[in-house]
Amino acid sequence: MLIELLTDDELAFLTSVRHDLHAHPELGFEEDRTSSIVARLLTEAGVSVHRGLAKTGIVGTLKCGSGEGTIALRADMDALAMPETADRPYKSTVEGKMHACGHDGHTTMLLGAARHLARSRDFSGTVHFIFQPAEEGRGGARQMVEEGLFDLFPCDAVFGLHNMPGLGTDEMAVVAGPQLASSDSWKVTIRGVGTHGAKPHLGRDAVTASGHFLSSLQTIVGRLIDPLQPAVVSACSLQAGDPEALNVIPDFVEIGGTARAYSPDVRDRLETEIGRLAQGIAQTFGMEADYRYIRRIPPVINDPDAAADALAVARSVCAGNVRTDFAPSTAGDDFAFLNEDIPGAFVWLGNGPAVDGALHHNTAYDFNDEAIATGVSFWVHLVEQRLAASGTQE
Ligand SMILES: [Zn+2]
Ligand SMILES: [Zn+2]
């Protein structure tokens, strides 16, 4: 079922597209060449194209039959600001940029699915193909939503896919519930009163207060969060005083870090408790703390029904070779902004064994072309299943 979907010629064509994208990586919101190729191939296939959402973002729309169901499929297009060290015929031609997360493969597979569905038209309803810019920390998904993605292109469900080394290229993982953690930042400034290092009683020592804050920080995860709920709080930056002025107690200490969670409740609790601890400790020592919690990416949480649909399709495409006990990742993906208000599922597609140990964001990483057929087949069958042409679907 899997391999017959694409002809040898089409698979060769898609592989050449993937290699071309790999050789010409572009960073977030700069995907001008990539999005031009996407737009051209969609247009040539007969898919209507909307350009310019979140600068370089594209939505292709394909309508078929009289079905009212709507589904959105998302691929990310951006590369990373890092050098490619492995030699390959289609190695990055741009210094300091490379496709180290496999988004070249994601873009290719969604293009392959659009081309196939535009030919076969074996569904009844509307498909939106979302080609998103700037997944790697630059806020592409959020900007697409803020610029009206789902007002312009409403949909009943949205699906995303990411390649995953360690799973076979004919293997997928589909799990309901949390897939990726929320990824937020926090900043605390403890404000004391600077003074002579020899006369601490004449000031308020923010350095000592910050030591108490840091040594108590892990009590948030250890004592306040449900032990059965994963959570991470890390202080990653600490700035105070001047190493050239070792007789000066500084006015303030700035501390910053990250917080991760898999549920909105735990995320809210982390936001509250980090601030409460900072302000409480500052108060204990007679000073004040400024606190800022910066919400960056919500957790990716798969809707049970959407995940069940995706699982059924993955099982048929991969001849049963699908994992349902796959551990979530503490990384984040801004697909979270797409399925925050719309039911959706984010699934993993095998990328084969990690070659020479290279994982995502490694300078030798590469998307595996063997996975193209599986990914295209998954997208096509998901559309045909959700928007069944028989008329049995709503
Ligand atoms: Zn990445
Ligand atoms: Zn990625």
Side-chain angles (χ1 to χ4, degrees):
M1 166 190 251
L2 174 71
I3 302 304
E4 294 129 41
L5 195 122
L6 294 177
T7 63
D8 289 348
D9 282 354
E10 179 66 2
L11 190 54
F13 171 75
L14 291 175
T15 304
S16 73
V17 168
R18 213 282 293 177
H19 292 179
D20 178 64
L21 295 177
H22 190 93
H24 300 92
E26 295 172 302
L27 303 185
F29 297 126
E30 299 167 11
E31 304 93 335
D32 296 312
R33 182 181 185 278
T34 306
S35 67
S36 291
I37 291 168
V38 168
R40 177 171 54 78
L41 291 176
L42 290 176
T43 304
E44 282 172 12
V47 175
S48 74
V49 171
H50 180 105
R51 296 191 72 169
L53 257 188
K55 296 194 180 84
T56 45
I58 291 186
V59 180
T61 298
L62 190 60
K63 260 175 106 72
C64 205
S66 57
E68 303 209 326
T70 311
I71 183 175
L73 314 178
R74 173 269 211 168
D76 38 17
M77 301 188 288
D78 56 324
L80 285 147
M82 54 189 283
E84 181 160 23
T85 55
D87 260 326
R88 40 183 69 106
Y90 49 89
K91 181 177 177 171
S92 170
T93 58
V94 189
E95 207 172 316
K97 297 179 190 175
M98 81 167 286
H99 270 292
C101 206
H103 298 184
D104 47 344
H106 301 169
T107 301
T108 301
M109 292 187 291
L110 195 57
L111 275 172
R115 286 162 61 87
H116 185 89
L117 287 161
R119 279 194 302 271
S120 61
R121 304 182 81 80
D122 191 14
F123 65 96
S124 182
T126 304
V127 192
H128 298 304
F129 304 95
I130 301 172
F131 291 89
Q132 181 208 305
E135 190 283 323
E136 299 285 4
R138 294 192 177 190
R142 176 183 233 161
Q143 192 166 327
M144 284 189 101
V145 172
E146 284 172 357
E147 291 183 17
L149 173 65
F150 293 124
D151 301 322
L152 292 163
F153 307 101
C155 58
D156 307 326
V158 59
F159 292 86
L161 173 156
H162 208 291
N163 70 91
M164 180 53 76
L167 299 178
T169 55
D170 57 351
E171 188 176 11
M172 295 180 70
V174 183
V175 188
Q179 301 304 300
L180 293 135
S182 58
S183 175
D184 297 331
S185 306
W186 54 267
K187 291 182 178 176
V188 166
T189 303
I190 297 181
R191 296 194 179 283
V193 178
T195 184
H196 198 297
K199 302 171 183 174
H201 61 293
L202 299 180
R204 295 279 181 184
D205 178 7
V207 174
T208 297
S210 71
H212 282 265
F213 169 74
L214 289 170
S215 65
S216 304
L217 188 60
Q218 296 311 325
T219 61
I220 295 174
V221 172
R223 302 287 83 188
L224 298 172
I225 302 296
D226 179 346
L228 298 179
Q229 295 281 338
V232 182
V233 177
S234 295
C236 305
S237 162
L238 181 64
Q239 315 279 333
D242 188 325
E244 301 300 322
L246 298 182
N247 55 357
V248 176
I249 292 173
D251 283 322
F252 61 87
V253 178
E254 292 176 316
I255 307 164
T258 190
R260 312 273 165 141
Y262 291 108
S263 84
D265 290 350
V266 173
R267 188 187 193 199
D268 290 348
R269 190 85 197 265
L270 293 178
E271 173 170 12
T272 304
E273 298 296 350
I274 297 167
R276 196 204 309 269
L277 185 71
Q279 269 141 8
I281 293 225
Q283 208 176 18
T284 301
F285 291 96
M287 49 194 99
E288 289 184 350
D290 301 337
Y291 175 56
R292 206 149 72 86
Y293 189 90
I294 304 116
R295 291 188 167 234
R296 297 195 183 279
I297 306 176
V300 173
I301 300 170
N302 282 353
D303 173 79
D305 294 335
D309 282 358
L311 176 60
V313 170
R315 279 194 170 129
S316 76
V317 166
C318 299
N321 199 10
V322 181
R323 296 209 198 172
T324 54
D325 59 352
F326 201 67
S329 164
T330 50
D333 190 297
D334 72 357
F335 177 80
F337 285 106
L338 305 183
N339 80 330
E340 228 183 353
D341 298 318
I342 295 171
F346 191 80
V347 304
W348 306 102
L349 167 63
N351 201 57
V355 180
D356 297 329
L359 299 168
H360 296 135
H361 295 205
N362 181 286
T363 54
Y365 192 68
D366 193 20
F367 179 83
N368 189 335
D369 294 319
E370 303 279 314
I372 292 176
T374 315
V376 171
S377 191
F378 172 75
W379 283 140
V380 167
H381 288 289
L382 183 68
V383 169
E384 290 176 352
Q385 189 268 343
R386 292 270 321 185
L387 307 176
S390 64
T392 51
Q393 204 84 353
E394 66 279 332

